[in-house]
């Protein structure tokens, strides 16, 4: 389940690429693709922090320290919320700057910036999921995070198609689908 969960997280961006590639063209694919390195860097940073929280949770469970467990879980969720909110503010404000620093081509920069700004709006939810999934795995429940992510993945694809095909949206549609799911 842990390996499948990691694979599913990578497929969210791939689903966005496939849908915009099929229905909106190469500029849209380039715009979404140009954001992949940055989004993966940020998400993986917080996945690493969430793994650390999971280790602390597992230690507290093993030591049967319920008060410590309670503090660790609440601190981890607080860090996820604050970290996600900070990333949202930074990301929405500086998406264009980050993408220019990455030498994103001028013809896709506006679309990439739009995608990134919307994507960053959902960062708090992404962080809370990652921290809660790490806590569940540390407690021995590896299936629930996989099931939640599988449901989210299916919802992401359905919403991608809805926003792009039915509503006629472009990269903003796949970004919205990602943060909603």
């Amino acid at each position: 389940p842990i390996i499948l969960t990691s694979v599913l997280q990578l497929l969210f961006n791939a689903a966005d690429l496939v849908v915009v590639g099929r229905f909106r063209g190469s500029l849209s694919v380039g715009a979404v693709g140009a954001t992949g390195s940055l989004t993966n860097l940020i998400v993986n940073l917080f996945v690493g922090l969430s793994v650390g929280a999971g280790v602390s949770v597992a230690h507290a469970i093993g030591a049967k320290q319920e008060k410590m467990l309670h503090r660790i879980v609440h601190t981890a969720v607080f860090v996820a919320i604050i970290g996600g909110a900070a990333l949202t503010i930074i990301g929405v404000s500086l998406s264009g700057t980050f993408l220019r620093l990455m030498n994103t081509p001028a013809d896709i920069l506006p679309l990439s910036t739009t995608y990134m700004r919307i994507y960053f709006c959902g960062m708090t939810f992404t962080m809370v999921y990652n921290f809660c999934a790490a806590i569940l795995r540390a407690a021995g429940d590896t299936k629930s995070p996989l099931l939640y992510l599988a449901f989210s993945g299916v919802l992401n694809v359905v919403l991608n198609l809805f926003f792009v095909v039915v509503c006629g949206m472009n990269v903003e549609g796949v970004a919205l689908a990602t943060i909603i799911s």
Side-chain angles (χ1 to χ4, degrees):
I2 294 171
I3 293 170
L4 287 174
T5 300
S6 296
V7 169
L8 278 175
Q9 281 188 313
L10 293 173
L11 292 177
F12 270 75
N13 191 256
D16 292 353
L17 286 167
V18 169
V19 171
V20 293
R22 173 76 170 90
F23 298 102
R24 291 295 172 249
S26 60
L27 285 179
S28 298
V29 170
V32 173
T35 66
S37 299
L38 184 58
T39 57
N40 288 334
L41 173 70
I42 292 165
V43 169
N44 287 329
L45 170 70
F46 276 87
V47 166
L49 289 173
S50 70
V51 168
V55 169
S56 296
V57 166
H59 178 74
I61 290 171
K64 298 187 186 332
Q65 296 178 336
E66 294 212 18
K67 276 188 172 180
M68 180 63 76
L69 176 62
H70 182 76
R71 273 192 16 208
I72 293 167
V73 168
H74 285 84
T75 300
V77 172
F78 178 75
V79 167
I81 292 169
I82 295 302
L87 279 173
T88 297
I89 292 166
I90 292 166
V92 169
S93 303
L94 299 174
S95 288
T97 303
F98 292 149
L99 291 164
R100 278 189 292 282
L101 289 171
M102 293 172 48
N103 293 322
T104 303
D107 59 339
I108 62 170
L109 184 61
L111 287 172
S112 293
T113 302
T114 298
Y115 180 86
M116 285 301 301
R117 285 184 175 146
I118 295 169
Y119 185 90
F120 272 111
C121 287
M123 198 53 66
T124 301
F125 303 107
T126 301
M127 295 305 111
V128 169
Y129 164 77
N130 284 321
F131 274 78
C132 290
I135 290 166
L136 286 171
R137 285 191 292 268
D141 182 0
T142 58
K143 289 181 184 174
S144 293
L146 174 62
L147 293 174
Y148 299 142
L149 198 60
F151 173 77
S152 293
V154 170
L155 181 61
N156 183 48
V157 171
V158 169
L159 289 175
N160 276 344
L161 293 168
F162 174 75
F163 287 136
V164 173
V165 177
V166 177
C167 297
M169 298 172 88
N170 195 347
V171 297
E172 64 276 3
V174 294
L176 278 172
T178 298
I179 67 169
I180 291 169
S181 61

